[in-house]
């Protein structure tokens, strides 16, 4: 008999007051008993509506059934057969817009906690599972992957499993891309990302760090080096600014810089780690996406007394995962919605002295389908701030496009690809944020998978 | 790991190191930089490429032991290795169409001016070098500069080398004396690059400066190195590091360059809780 509770089994979380002062993971995950209870909410629908919401086609009802049978490792195997990063997806996917959006149980009450169950199975495997020594038959064909974020890692994993000789080139000193530099420890522990990367290495994937493709080595040279296909998954790295006065003042960060200092460089452990971060008493974070939430909650953990989100639309239009907004509110982040910055005020010494904003109201829907924010004349006001973080989205990194001939790029600087992820240049594939502009981890993974399949089909034929 | 194959003290504060880094040397050009990290706890710091040897896969850097990282770097010896060494980053210098150029190095900036002078000399461009130092004890690369410059002027602030003055005094004398430069390249402290740019502005001589901004990744990702050039926001790491000196907003660059000064001091004095070592 199915568990007919209209609500998901709650996941244990650290107390908001306590967690806002440290970088420990906020959600501690389901226990086996909780997972079992939640798994019984799944109706195991015949037409599997949830699966259509998953960019990597995880066989959701099947893995949940395994959990119900208490075969937790079996559940993991099913997830792993289509997703290379289960422990990551279970934590950072916006499930409410994907699998859980289509769950029948969501019609009356909350959908099944698919993400939480996925995370449980992945964590259970990390603790209890044994690495299987699968014999992979090598085909000797070399493929290069540029960038080791979610798109690159997924593509690498699928190709390695199919017997290809895969080399991943990473510009930074640590592989993982946004999973390492962007998403904070308290949401996605780096140890987990590291384990996923280690398991790729176990499959024979070679990862070369400190290799900036487009600088250290050019795409065309990779072909000369014997690579038969190249996948570009270099992400959307270039931060945007607003173009308002005061953005050069000391104390103005891009969210990318702030998060990289804290996550990748472990600035929260300064001075044991060398990289400093200057967080003031009152931080304003501009933007309403996941990155904005991450920047705001990280600022709090770095010791800010007050952290405010400034977002030009309303709570309803906010693109961040619902859970992150909820966590941010619990931790005491202030939300100034329908508010847009017009100037960062100089404190007289070249540093941030406040954020001058204007109130907004919502007009007709714009191209994104969301109601367009319009400034309310004469409604300017100033928020006290000594640190301003711009979390307005990123543009694709231009290093490869600038040094590769024959690669078609669109107006927004994104690489143009067909449905297989193939670019305008022969045997050069691309996927993830470098194609779509800043999006989600799971979409990037889906693109990595699509390209891997196309590469396998094209080179094996 | 990237092995240190040569270490030479150029003076009390300045060290030259040659690193085995074929990933960087293959495409390295004058004007570009690298980013290094000494160890797991280390920060990423950018340093300009002072020289390179493509065949042997070597890259030379020259640094002044002033910050937490450069002080620790100075303690390493030949045979030791750096954990990370990435590049070449930034755009290479452009010398197209130049016939007669003045290259100015201020202090450590001379280490960056040198590869530029050398590259232009190899292209057959007439190079006038001007290098300025606080005193004669910290003069670096005099011999190397001498080999690649058609004319070399070295000045000291205190006159201890017998030629008292600033690089701007020498440049002004040369220009007033009728020298016609196609371009002036100035590399060194921001105050010096600003002074040179202000000097050349009324003469309409194109002036290129090299911005050494604070940055993390060096690939355009953090935006920490942003500089205002001609009213537009540019990233020193991907759009630079060289910019038109007449268009750079030096005031904001100076303020941003000093943003971590207090933390830098904490870092220099920090004693590791784990090992008890002072960095």
């Amino acid at each position: 008999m199915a568990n007919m509770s209209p609500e998901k089994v709650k996941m244990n979380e650290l107390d908001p007051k306590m967690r806002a002062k440290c970088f420990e993971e906020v959600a501690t995950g389901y226990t086996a008993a909780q997972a079992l209870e939640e798994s019984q909410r799944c109706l195991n629908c015949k037409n599997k509506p949830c699966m259509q919401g998953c960019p990597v086609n995880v066989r959701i009802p099947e893995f949940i059934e395994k959990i119900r049978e208490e075969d937790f490792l079996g559940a993991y195997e099913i997830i792993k057969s289509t997703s290379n990063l289960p422990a990551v997806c279970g934590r950072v996917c916006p499930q409410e817009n994907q699998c859980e959006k289509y769950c029948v149980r969501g019609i009356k009450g909350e959908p099944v906690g698919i993400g939480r169950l996925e995370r449980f199975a992945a964590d259970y495997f990390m603790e209890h599972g044994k690495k299987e020594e699968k014999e992979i038959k090598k085909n000797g064909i070399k493929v290069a992957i540029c960038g080791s974020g979610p798109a690159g890692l997924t593509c690498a994993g699928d190709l390695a499993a199919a017997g290809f000789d895969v080399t991943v080139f990473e510009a930074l000193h640590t592989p993982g891309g946004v999973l390492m530099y962007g998403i904070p420890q308290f949401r996605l522990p780096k140890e987990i990302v590291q384990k996923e990367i280690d398991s790729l290495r176990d499959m024979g994937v070679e990862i070369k760090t400190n290799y900036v493709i487009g600088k250290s080595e050019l795409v065309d040279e990779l072909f000369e080096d014997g690579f038969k296909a190249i996948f570009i998954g270099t992400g959307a790295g270039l931060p945007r600014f607003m173009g308002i006065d005061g953005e050069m003042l000391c104390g103005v960060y891009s969210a990318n810089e702030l998060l990289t200092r804290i996550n990748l460089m472990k600035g929260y452990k300064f001075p044991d780690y060398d990289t400093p971060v200057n967080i003031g008493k009152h931080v304003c974070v501009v933007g309403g996406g996941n990155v904005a939430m991450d920047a705001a909650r990280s600022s709090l953990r770095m010791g800010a007394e007050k952290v405010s989100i400034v977002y030009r639309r309303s709570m309803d239009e906010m693109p961040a995962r619902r859970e992150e907004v909820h966590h941010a509110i619990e931790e005491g982040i202030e939300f100034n919605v329908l508010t847009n910055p017009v100037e960062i005020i100089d404190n007289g010494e070249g540093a941030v002295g406040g954020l001058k904003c204007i109130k907004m109201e919502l007009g007709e829907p714009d191209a994104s389908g969301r109601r367009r924010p319009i400034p309310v004349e004469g409604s300017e006001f100033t928020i006290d701030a000594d640190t301003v973080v711009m979390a307005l989205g990123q543009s694709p990194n231009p290093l490869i496009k600038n040094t590769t001939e024959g690669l078609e790029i669109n107006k927004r600087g994104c690489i143009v690809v067909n449905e297989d992820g193939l670019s305008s240049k022969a045997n050069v594939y691309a996927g993830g944020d470098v194609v779509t502009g800043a999006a989600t981890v799971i979409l990037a993974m889906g693109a990595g998978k699509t390209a891997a399949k196309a590469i396998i089909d094209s080179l094996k034929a | 790991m990237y092995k240190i194959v040569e270490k030479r003290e150029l003076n009390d504060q300045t060290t030259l190191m040659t690193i085995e880094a074929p990933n960087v040397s293959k495409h390295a050009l004058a004007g570009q930089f690298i980013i290094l990290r000494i160890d797991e706890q280390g920060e990423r710091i950018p340093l300009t490429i002072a020289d390179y040897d493509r065949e042997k896969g070597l890259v030379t850097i020259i640094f002044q032991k002033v910050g937490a990282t450069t002080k620790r770097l100075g303690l390493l010896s030949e045979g030791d290795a750096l954990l990370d060494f990435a590049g070449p980053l930034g755009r290479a210098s452009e010398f197209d169409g130049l016939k007669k150029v003045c290259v100015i190095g201020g202090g450590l900036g001379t280490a960056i001016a040198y590869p530029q002078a050398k590259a232009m000399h190899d292209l057959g461009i007439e190079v006038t070098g001007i290098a300025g130092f606080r005193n004669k004890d910290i003069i670096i690369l005099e011999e190397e500069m001498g080999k690649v410059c058609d004319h070399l002027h070295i000045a000291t602030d205190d006159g201890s080398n017998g030629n008292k003055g600033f690089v701007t005094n020498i440049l002004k004398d040369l220009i007033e004396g009728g020298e016609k430069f196609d371009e002036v390249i100035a590399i060194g402290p921001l105050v010096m690059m600003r002074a040179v740019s202000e000097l050349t502005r009324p003469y309409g001589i194109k002036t290129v400066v090299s911005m050494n901004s604070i940055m993390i990744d060096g690939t355009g990702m953090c935006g920490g190195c942003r500089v205002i050039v001609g009213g537009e926001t540019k990233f020193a790491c991907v759009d630079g590091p060289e910019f038109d000196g007449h268009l750079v907003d030096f005031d904001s660059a100076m303020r941003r360059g000093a943003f971590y000064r207090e933390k830098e001091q904490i870092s220099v004095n920090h004693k590791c809780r784990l090992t008890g070592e002072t960095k």
Side-chain angles (χ1 to χ4, degrees):
Chain A
M1 182 55 202
N3 168 359
M4 292 312 289
S5 160
E7 281 170 18
K8 291 177 186 175
V9 174
K10 291 237 170 339
M11 183 159 51
N12 301 337
E13 289 172 355
L14 299 183
D15 175 69
K17 279 213 185 73
M18 187 267 265
R19 75 189 190 222
K21 299 282 163 228
C22 71
F23 279 82
E24 292 294 310
E25 189 172 18
V26 167
T28 51
Y30 276 161
T31 61
Q34 288 171 321
L36 211 56
E37 192 187 339
E38 182 63 20
S39 71
Q40 283 155 0
R41 293 186 64 233
C42 175
L43 302 176
N44 207 351
C45 309
K46 217 176 243 170
N47 58 349
K48 305 175 177 52
C50 47
M51 275 185 67
Q52 63 176 279
C54 178
V56 298
N57 298 313
V58 169
R59 305 203 303 279
I60 295 164
E62 277 180 61
F63 96 73
I64 295 181
E65 190 166 14
K66 287 285 181 196
I67 291 180
R68 201 157 41 220
E69 292 165 3
E70 296 187 48
D71 178 5
F72 303 139
L73 293 175
Y76 174 80
E77 282 308 315
I78 290 171
I79 302 169
K80 182 75 183 171
S81 70
T82 61
S83 167
N84 285 317
L85 309 168
V88 173
C89 293
R91 287 173 166 80
V92 305
C93 267
Q95 288 96 2
E96 70 259 29
N97 298 324
Q98 298 177 339
C99 50
E100 294 182 16
K101 181 176 171 183
Y102 299 95
C103 177
V104 170
R105 294 298 305 265
I107 300 168
K108 278 189 186 171
E110 288 186 334
V112 175
I114 300 170
R116 295 174 183 185
L117 290 172
E118 179 183 30
R119 171 182 167 172
F120 167 76
D123 288 357
Y124 187 89
F125 172 81
M126 283 202 178
E127 205 167 317
H128 304 280
K130 279 201 189 87
K131 266 184 206 144
E132 237 180 288
E133 292 286 320
K134 257 192 230 154
E135 194 64 34
I136 301 170
K137 211 175 144 212
K138 289 270 185 188
N139 64 19
I141 303 172
K142 280 170 71 177
V143 178
I145 311 277
C146 310
S148 64
L153 291 180
T154 301
C155 191
D158 281 10
L159 289 169
F164 286 83
D165 203 340
V166 182
T167 307
V168 179
F169 296 94
E170 167 56 47
L172 291 173
H173 56 262
T174 303
V178 73
L179 307 175
M180 280 296 189
Y181 75 72
I183 305 176
Q185 179 76 9
F186 57 83
R187 196 149 82 79
L188 179 64
K190 301 306 143 212
E191 300 73 23
I192 285 174
V193 183
Q194 194 52 53
K195 277 189 187 167
E196 301 277 25
I197 291 165
D198 290 344
S199 80
L200 279 184
R201 283 203 171 105
D202 290 342
M203 289 169 74
V205 172
E206 187 183 356
I207 303 179
K208 285 193 170 178
T209 53
N210 298 320
Y211 248 91
V212 191
I213 300 299
K215 287 286 179 187
S216 310
E217 191 96 11
L218 308 180
V219 166
D220 287 308
E221 286 172 328
L222 292 174
F223 286 120
E224 289 164 25
D225 293 342
F227 290 100
K228 298 295 177 206
I230 294 163
F231 175 78
I232 302 172
T234 46
L238 222 56
R240 295 201 194 112
F241 289 90
M242 293 189 75
I244 57 175
D245 280 348
E247 284 183 323
M248 283 296 285
L249 295 172
C250 290
V252 180
Y253 283 101
S254 74
N256 253 11
E257 179 180 1
L258 181 78
L259 291 171
T260 304
R261 282 181 180 273
I262 297 172
N263 301 324
L264 179 73
M265 305 311 297
K266 303 208 163 36
Y268 63 96
K269 294 183 180 171
F270 180 86
D272 280 343
Y273 279 70
D274 292 345
T275 306
V277 190
N278 280 348
I279 291 284
K281 286 195 174 128
H282 188 172
V283 181
C284 276
V285 178
V286 183
N290 286 320
V291 175
M293 300 305 136
D294 286 346
R297 297 170 68 201
S298 296
S299 300
L300 205 59
R301 284 159 172 79
M302 292 297 297
E305 287 168 15
K306 190 174 170 199
V307 180
S308 314
I309 291 271
V310 174
Y311 179 56
R312 64 197 182 121
R313 302 181 199 248
S314 77
M315 288 305 268
D316 293 338
E317 284 86 18
M318 215 168 255
R321 267 177 108 218
R322 224 168 292 159
E323 188 171 298
E324 308 312 330
V325 176
H326 167 73
H327 281 153
I329 293 171
E330 272 188 345
E331 288 167 13
I333 308 277
E334 182 187 282
F335 283 73
N336 294 280
V337 293
L338 291 170
T339 302
N340 207 26
V342 289
E343 184 193 341
I344 304 167
I345 295 166
D346 191 330
N347 71 349
E349 293 168 16
V352 176
L355 186 64
K356 190 173 168 193
C357 298
I358 189 162
K359 283 279 177 198
M360 309 291 275
E361 58 188 12
L362 294 178
E364 293 301 307
D366 62 12
S368 73
R370 298 176 297 176
R371 294 177 63 193
R372 184 193 303 275
I374 304 163
V376 178
E377 229 173 281
S379 67
E380 285 90 348
F381 68 106
T382 299
I383 305 176
D384 261 349
D386 50 13
T387 306
V388 171
V389 183
M390 292 294 178
L392 307 158
Q394 289 89 236
S395 309
N397 194 299
L399 288 183
I400 289 189
K401 87 167 192 218
N402 288 348
T403 53
T404 310
E405 271 181 48
L407 204 57
E408 194 189 334
I409 305 293
N410 71 14
K411 272 193 307 225
R412 294 180 302 140
C414 304
I415 298 178
V416 178
V417 297
N418 70 8
E419 66 279 8
D420 288 334
L422 181 64
S423 74
S424 57
K425 195 174 168 77
N427 295 312
V428 176
Y429 297 76
D433 286 2
V434 77
V435 168
T436 56
T440 60
V441 167
I442 189 71
L443 281 174
M445 289 177 60
K449 255 191 133 46
T450 304
K453 186 174 175 299
I455 292 170
I456 294 166
D457 291 347
S458 119
L459 294 184
K460 273 200 164 166
Chain B
M1 299 291 274
Y2 302 84
K3 206 169 124 189
I4 301 166
V5 296
E6 183 195 2
K7 181 189 178 188
R8 198 148 41 96
E9 301 294 347
L10 300 183
N11 61 42
D12 284 357
Q13 303 148 25
T14 315
T15 307
L16 174 150
M17 269 185 187
T18 302
I19 315 289
E20 212 170 71
N23 56 324
V24 178
S25 67
K26 186 170 176 183
H27 289 286
L29 288 168
Q32 291 185 297
F33 65 95
I34 57 97
I35 284 203
L36 66 79
R37 197 171 68 127
I38 297 176
D39 56 25
E40 197 50 45
Q41 284 74 37
E43 61 181 338
R44 292 169 66 94
I45 61 158
L47 288 172
T48 306
I49 295 170
D51 206 350
Y52 52 85
D53 183 331
R54 294 228 168 99
E55 271 171 35
K56 293 185 183 146
L58 303 177
V59 175
T60 302
I61 49 172
I62 297 178
F63 56 92
Q64 214 166 357
K65 290 167 276 189
V66 285
T69 300
T70 42
K71 279 184 179 161
R72 278 204 297 143
L73 191 59
L75 297 176
L76 299 179
S77 320
E78 283 176 15
D80 290 340
L82 307 177
L83 185 57
D84 299 295
F85 199 84
L89 300 165
R91 299 164 83 108
S93 311
E94 286 168 17
F95 306 121
D96 289 353
L98 299 179
K99 292 197 176 65
K100 190 174 161 122
V101 172
C102 180
V103 181
I104 306 174
L108 181 72
T110 307
I112 311 167
Y114 167 67
Q116 313 249 14
K118 186 177 162 202
M120 287 189 284
H121 177 76
D122 291 347
L123 289 169
I125 298 168
E126 185 184 333
V127 180
T128 298
I130 305 175
F133 300 91
R134 280 199 312 281
N135 60 59
K136 73 173 174 25
D137 298 331
I138 57 169
I139 293 176
I140 55 169
L141 301 178
E142 187 171 5
E143 197 189 323
E144 288 86 345
M145 281 294 272
K147 281 187 200 157
V148 296
C149 293
D150 297 277
H151 319 277
L152 178 63
H153 307 266
I154 295 187
T156 45
D157 298 0
D158 67 355
S160 52
N161 77 330
N163 191 9
K164 186 174 159 75
F166 295 117
V167 292
T168 39
N169 305 134
I170 298 177
L171 177 63
K172 191 167 185 3
D173 289 348
L174 290 173
I175 297 171
E176 300 272 293
E179 292 281 359
K180 297 255 183 273
F181 297 114
D182 299 328
E183 187 173 300
V184 170
I185 301 175
I187 302 166
L190 290 167
V191 272
M192 168 270 193
M193 294 196 288
R194 178 167 67 182
V196 170
S197 301
E198 287 314 316
L199 171 64
T200 56
R201 193 191 300 275
Y203 297 102
I205 305 169
K206 188 183 172 199
T207 301
V208 172
V209 297
S210 180
M211 302 301 283
N212 188 7
S213 315
I214 294 172
M215 58 179 78
I216 306 176
D217 60 292
T219 62
M221 212 181 76
C222 75
C225 66
R226 59 192 186 276
V227 186
I228 300 288
V229 183
E232 278 181 58
T233 301
K234 298 277 181 192
F235 290 177
C237 65
V238 288
D239 301 318
E242 293 178 2
F243 295 104
D244 183 337
H246 294 151
L247 299 178
V248 168
D249 174 11
F250 285 101
D251 289 345
S252 61
M254 283 179 203
R255 283 198 308 259
R256 289 184 65 82
F259 187 45
Y260 291 103
R261 206 156 276 166
E262 272 174 41
K263 288 273 163 70
E264 182 79 42
Q265 210 43 53
I266 295 173
S267 203
V268 167
N269 298 328
H270 177 65
K271 206 170 179 172
C272 179
R273 284 200 295 268
L274 298 173
T275 64
E277 280 174 45
T278 307
K279 283 173 189 167

